[in-house]
Amino acid sequence: MTDHVAPTEEMHPLSSDVELHVLRWEPPRSIGATRRTWMLTHGLASNARLWDGVAHRLAALGHRVVTVDQRGHGRSSKPDDGYGVDNCADDLALLIDVLELERPAVAGQSWGGNVVLELGHRHPASVDQVACIDGGFIDLRARFPDWDDCVEALAPPRLAGTPIETIRTWLERSAADWPEQGRAGTMANFELLTDGTAAPWLTFDRHLLVLRGLWEHTPSVVFPEVRVPTLLVAADTGDVAWSESKHRAVDEALDLLPRGRAVWFSPAHHDVHAQQPAKVAALLHDASTDPEFYTDTTPMETTT
């Protein structure tokens, strides 16, 4: 990828009593900002740097790009409450106003997909469209009617105190087919301490608060009321049972969304934006520049 641009880092206090860390990516001067701005946000326990590969490619195509650490994550402030999907969607709407962005297109991955779906639902005048990257259709309560069962199945491992080199080795093995930017972005999920250990930026207790907020979110209720175009990007991870369940969820979402489209990546990691940034960037570019993009509702598949 040529014409690489480096981001600038900023902190922005919001009236919701949080301060969000953002990275701004500007197009090269030779191109200029000729395309719609994209705001990109991450999934549960992740951070903005997993979008680096997508962001610099979109910037090189003429898009201004803002990547965001949501509350509790990365370098953003870490309140002890307010982790409902609706609260986080409102944070993004406030950030759009503070940054004076003119109806950006917004993408979120996994839990972040549910957040940007809710953003499009609650604040349709603030965004041009939303893209849900292997998320947006997550309905935990359908899978775990009881909250305690959800916690038992999905509570994160307690990683604080893990040696940094142990995490690096794990990444080299588990993300061997990822570009270096993707692995570096995953390392940015952790605060690297002077004693040689790492700790997740999102603490265990706050992780459970975010998980509870996601469990309480029911996207099927939201879909019919989303008035902005909605792109669902689904990753076929190779798990047959899980992929079949995901296909059903995506099909049901498309039936309910007033204006939606689905694109499948197969095979792909759940963090497909970090694993396949060139293809994800090209897709988001097309979604925001092709006036006919949302007229074709036939699910499309992208293969590696």
Side-chain angles (χ1 to χ4, degrees), residues 28-48:
R29 291 181 181 178
S30 59
I31 297 176
T34 58
R35 308 292 189 182
R36 186 170 296 278
T37 297
W38 273 96
M39 175 180 280
L40 311 174
T41 193
H42 55 81
L44 173 55
S46 187
N47 80 101

Side-chain angles (χ1 to χ4, degrees), residues 49 168 171-172 175-187 274:
R49 300 310 306 235
R168 291 192 195 280
L171 267 177
E172 289 170 2
D177 63 335
W178 292 22
E180 179 54 33
Q181 275 184 318
R183 290 192 293 271
T186 302
M187 281 301 301

Side-chain angles (χ1 to χ4, degrees), residues 54 57-58 61 276-287 289 293:
V54 173
R57 286 171 170 84
L58 285 173
L61 291 167
Q276 302 181 43
K279 289 183 177 181
V280 172
L283 177 62
L284 298 184
H285 173 70
D286 289 346
T289 58
F293 184 85

Side-chain angles (χ1 to χ4, degrees), residues 35-296:
R35 308 292 189 182
R36 186 170 296 278
T37 297
W38 273 96
M39 175 180 280
L40 311 174
T41 193
H42 55 81
L44 173 55
S46 187
N47 80 101
R49 300 310 306 235
L50 263 81
W51 281 105
D52 280 10
V54 173
H56 86 74
R57 286 171 170 84
L58 285 173
L61 291 167
H63 302 270
R64 284 193 173 96
V65 183
V66 175
T67 58
V68 185
D69 284 335
Q70 297 199 63
R71 62 168 64 205
H73 293 77
R75 302 305 178 101
S76 290
S77 63
K78 296 167 176 58
D80 291 328
D81 56 18
Y83 290 96
V85 169
D86 54 347
N87 299 111
C88 296
D90 290 346
D91 285 344
L92 296 184
L94 290 170
L95 182 64
I96 289 169
D97 288 343
V98 167
L99 297 180
E100 298 182 341
L101 304 181
E102 185 178 351
R103 297 198 75 215
V106 184
Q109 188 265 345
S110 190
W111 161 70
N114 285 57
V115 172
V116 301
L117 178 77
E118 194 62 42
L119 173 65
H121 172 224
R122 294 169 68 85
H123 304 279
S126 296
V127 299
D128 175 70
Q129 62 182 282
V130 296
C132 305
I133 313 300
D134 217 34
F137 45 79
I138 299 172
D139 187 349
L140 291 181
R141 195 149 38 182
R143 184 178 173 194
F144 303 104
D146 184 83
W147 165 241
D148 290 339
D149 291 339
C150 183
V151 172
E152 183 176 353
L154 300 180
R158 294 182 181 270
L159 296 176
T162 302
I164 293 170
E165 288 309 311
T166 298
I167 296 174
R168 291 192 195 280
T169 300
W170 170 77
L171 267 177
E172 289 170 2
R173 294 173 179 170
S174 63
D177 63 335
W178 292 22
E180 179 54 33
Q181 275 184 318
R183 290 192 293 271
T186 302
M187 281 301 301
N189 290 337
F190 300 91
E191 182 181 10
L192 306 184
L193 304 176
T194 56
D195 66 357
T197 67
W201 285 109
L202 181 69
T203 64
F204 182 87
D205 289 343
R206 294 189 184 103
H207 189 121
L208 293 186
L209 290 174
V210 178
L211 185 66
R212 176 75 187 216
L214 181 58
W215 180 78
E216 291 175 348
H217 189 244
T218 307
S220 60
V221 174
V222 176
F223 290 139
E225 300 178 0
V226 178
R227 300 305 173 192
V228 297
T230 302
L231 172 62
L232 304 177
V233 179
D236 182 349
T237 62
D239 183 324
V240 175
W242 179 231
S243 292
E244 289 178 354
S245 174
K246 194 180 294 185
H247 269 281
R248 288 193 298 272
V250 169
D251 289 345
E252 291 169 3
L254 290 177
D255 287 341
L256 294 172
L257 284 164
R259 194 175 180 198
R261 184 174 180 186
V263 175
W264 282 85
F265 280 68
S266 179
H269 192 276
H270 180 52
D271 288 316
V272 63
H273 60 315
Q275 180 194 38
Q276 302 181 43
K279 289 183 177 181
V280 172
L283 177 62
L284 298 184
H285 173 70
D286 289 346
S288 59
T289 58
D290 180 359
E292 304 300 320
F293 184 85
Y294 286 98
T295 62
D296 182 1

